[in-house]
Amino acid sequence: MTLRLHDSKTRTVSDFTPLKEGEVSLYVCGPTVQDGPHVGHIRTFLAFDVLVRWLRRSGYRVTYVRNVTDIDDKILARAVEEGEAWWKWSYANERKFGEIMDRLGAVRPDYEPRATGHVTEMIDFMQRLIERGHAYADGEGSVYFDVSSLPEYGSLTNQSIGNMVDDAEAASNLKQDPHDFALWKKAKEGEPETAKWSTPFGEGRPGWHLECSAMAKKYVGESFDIHGGGLDLRFPHHENEQAQSYGAGYGFAQRWMHSGMLTVDGMKMGKSLGNFITAEDVLEKHSAAAVRLAIVGSHYRTNVEFNETTLAEAETVLERLRGSLTRALEALEQAKALGELREPGEGALPERFIEAMNDDLGVADALAVIHERHGQLNTLLASATVNASEVAHAVNELRDMLDVFGLDLLGAQWAEESGANGAEHEALDALIRAQLEERAEARKNKDWERADAIRDRFAAAGIRIEDSAGSSRWSLTN
């Protein structure tokens, strides 16, 4: 089945054909680092993480670019509040963002350019727009894009200029039209000397929209395959990016993909509502794997409902998967068949899984295949005589599919996370093992009352027991 993806501009799902056969160029709008990331940011970047993984698993050579906005009004204001140099504050939050994405198992972009590192390209871009009649300098240090000069303006969000909100961020009496937006912002009195650059138009710093057009051109070319970002960026940011690039004479993005928003207990997240959750907060309470599953388990275009219930459900699913995989490893080790296992990506995926992912990343149907295969693995393990080859095949398929979601539970990252509380786990395991041996002895002697009493004590303590041929395993119910 051909890969089909949604295009936010045409509002249709269509066959994906890259500009260059076998290669995909992807530009995703990255973080503005005035603070550390919140769970809404995570929702966007994990959505595109799954896209990158699926494209690569499908055989494409992907160039993945995700920018960092490391200077803007919010960054300067927050740095003043914190009593830090803006560049120091910005860089610290950029580092924090990267560390959290690493913890969540996100693939790193091939390029992660900063706005402040591409001022030269932005100056060239502005000069080109002025020469082509799409921009003008106000004579005081700012440069604006003339929206009336481009007939296509508004085509991304299907709006007419008359219905658009004025660009309040670029408010100025020197603008020719209230809708015109800033490409370059003149330096303000009191701002640090380090926060401005000299240009032919005067001293100042980049407008938010210009940086992405300039960096996309540099890293993925005048025309590229996919531009991604959160749904909240469609207007004005992406509309203005497209306008700049069209005005410069470039083809820009051939397809636009936008991830849905994140809600907390049914409401849009916001500090004023008291439901604002930072990434650090949630990772203190829940495993990174569970946070990841709670987010990537929903279709990228839908709104993700994020709360303690969904996180607990994710923890339970992962615990059951991990338990089954561990039991499978033990069975294969006993059968001296561990050599039949392979690393993810080396074998064929189930056809139904491929069909689901090729249908605009249909994760619900793809996860259904994972759960079905998980059930089959449990059936194999419960058999009186374990067929090692079938168990190995089931494990390999499960790992392949889970890896598409960045959740190969036998991989180094998640195996390490599951053992993060190793000492406590080992102590608890020793105590439970003693009870399991007592229970096994009781069952052997057909002392069912004693065996059931031990099982009931486990259940009351929140411990689930899974029996298979010749052994029993335990896990926390949640």
Side-chain angles (χ1 to χ4, degrees):
M1 179 181 175
T2 302
L3 175 60
R4 292 170 59 79
L5 295 171
H6 186 262
D7 184 350
S8 303
K9 184 173 183 178
T10 63
R11 294 169 176 76
T12 60
V13 175
S14 59
D15 291 355
F16 174 66
T17 304
L19 291 167
K20 188 173 183 180
E21 187 176 355
E23 299 186 13
V24 178
S25 46
L26 168 67
Y27 185 97
V28 176
C29 283
T32 299
V33 287
Q34 79 265 21
D35 280 306
H38 55 66
V39 292
H41 296 136
I42 293 173
R43 193 276 183 272
T44 294
F45 301 124
L46 289 186
F48 287 98
D49 182 72
V50 172
L51 172 64
V52 170
R53 288 172 179 276
W54 184 242
L55 288 170
R56 288 178 175 159
R57 189 68 174 79
S58 301
Y60 289 106
R61 183 171 177 266
V62 180
T63 300
Y64 175 26
V65 182
R66 186 181 66 206
N67 73 298
V68 176
T69 299
D70 59 340
I71 186 167
D72 79 342
D73 290 344
K74 294 178 182 177
I75 291 172
L76 294 175
R78 285 290 287 119
V80 170
E81 289 176 16
E82 297 297 325
E84 294 279 10
W86 69 268
W87 50 268
K88 183 178 180 181
W89 180 253
S90 176
Y91 184 60
N93 285 308
E94 181 185 339
R95 287 283 300 272
K96 187 182 297 182
F97 170 81
E99 289 164 2
I100 285 173
M101 296 311 295
D102 284 347
R103 284 182 65 184
L104 290 164
V107 295
R108 293 185 177 184
D110 298 291
Y111 304 100
E112 200 164 11
R114 299 186 186 104
T116 55
H118 295 78
V119 172
T120 299
E121 289 85 353
M122 294 183 218
I123 292 172
D124 291 342
F125 210 103
M126 286 188 287
Q127 289 176 322
R128 182 177 176 87
L129 286 172
I130 290 172
E131 290 168 3
R132 292 171 63 88
H134 293 293
Y136 57 92
D138 68 358
E140 293 193 355
S142 295
V143 180
Y144 298 99
F145 185 89
D146 179 3
V147 297
S148 65
S149 69
L150 190 76
E152 299 97 324
Y153 189 69
S155 62
L156 176 62
T157 52
N158 195 29
Q159 299 182 81
S160 64
I161 293 178
N163 293 329
M164 293 180 185
V165 177
D166 295 353
D167 189 352
E169 184 188 24
S172 170
N173 294 328
L174 299 175
K175 286 202 300 180
Q176 296 174 4
D177 186 294
H179 297 97
D180 293 349
F181 59 87
L183 300 171
W184 189 260
K185 303 168 81 170
K186 70 176 181 180
K188 297 178 182 177
E189 187 175 346
E191 288 183 343
E193 288 295 315
T194 53
K196 56 187 176 185
W197 288 259
S198 296
T199 75
F201 321 107
E203 287 191 333
R205 55 186 170 82
W208 179 31
H209 316 300
L210 178 64
E211 63 177 276
C212 287
S213 288
M215 290 189 283
K217 177 182 178 295
K218 178 171 182 175
Y219 292 96
V220 287
E222 296 179 6
S223 297
F224 57 95
D225 294 307
I226 303 172
H227 194 318
L231 188 63
D232 56 324
L233 297 183
R234 286 180 70 232
F235 184 86
H237 187 47
H238 288 167
E239 188 74 72
N240 291 349
E241 277 186 57
Q242 177 177 268
Q244 294 162 167
S245 297
Y246 281 4
Y250 306 138
F252 205 51
Q254 302 303 292
R255 183 181 298 264
W256 288 87
M257 295 180 69
H258 290 94
S259 60
M261 307 302 288
L262 182 141
T263 58
V264 178
D265 294 323
M267 296 186 292
K268 182 178 178 181
M269 189 176 66
K271 291 181 178 178
S272 62
L273 297 174
N275 65 351
F276 187 83
I277 307 173
T278 69
E280 286 184 305
D281 288 341
V282 76
L283 288 173
E284 283 182 4
K285 299 177 183 177
H286 299 276
S287 71
V291 173
R292 183 180 178 99
L293 178 59
I295 290 174
V296 303
S298 297
H299 191 272
Y300 76 94
R301 285 194 284 122
T302 63
N303 289 342
V304 170
E305 174 57 26
F306 195 80
N307 54 39
E308 289 299 318
T309 300
T310 56
L311 286 163
E313 289 170 353
E315 294 278 16
T316 299
V317 168
L318 290 170
E319 187 63 33
R320 290 174 178 171
L321 282 165
R322 189 176 280 116
S324 298
L325 290 168
T326 303
R327 287 163 54 210
L329 290 183
E330 291 174 350
L332 291 172
E333 184 177 23
Q334 188 174 7
K336 294 181 170 51
L338 286 174
E340 295 189 41
L341 297 180
R342 53 171 172 73
E343 289 301 306
E346 297 176 2
L349 289 161
E351 195 62 33
R352 282 174 50 220
F353 183 89
I354 295 172
E355 289 176 358
M357 293 302 292
N358 275 343
D359 185 13
D360 194 32
L361 308 183
V363 299
D365 289 339
L367 284 170
V369 180
I370 289 176
H371 292 310
E372 180 182 292
R373 196 58 175 143
H374 177 215
Q376 292 169 355
L377 174 60
N378 284 336
T379 299
L380 290 171
L381 293 171
S383 174
T385 304
V386 174
N387 185 316
S389 292
E390 289 184 355
V391 168
H393 179 68
V395 170
N396 287 333
E397 277 197 337
L398 268 175
R399 290 188 70 188
D400 270 329
M401 291 186 286
L402 287 168
D403 189 55
V404 169
F405 291 95
L407 285 167
D408 171 24
L409 298 178
L410 297 184
Q413 175 159 10
W414 304 123
E416 181 180 334
E417 183 187 56
S418 67
N421 297 316
E424 294 89 339
H425 184 277
E426 287 177 16
L428 182 60
D429 183 62
L431 293 172
I432 293 175
R433 283 286 168 199
Q435 288 286 295
L436 286 176
E437 288 172 10
E438 184 180 337
R439 178 171 174 264
E441 184 68 21
R443 296 178 74 189
K444 181 180 177 181
N445 296 329
K446 297 186 178 181
D447 186 351
W448 307 120
E449 184 177 352
R450 181 175 162 218
D452 289 347
I454 294 172
R455 181 201 60 200
D456 293 343
R457 285 204 301 269
F458 281 135
I463 297 169
R464 179 175 55 248
I465 303 301
E466 296 175 272
D467 297 313
S468 59
S471 66
S472 297
R473 287 198 58 78
W474 68 271
S475 61
L476 299 178
T477 54
N478 187 25

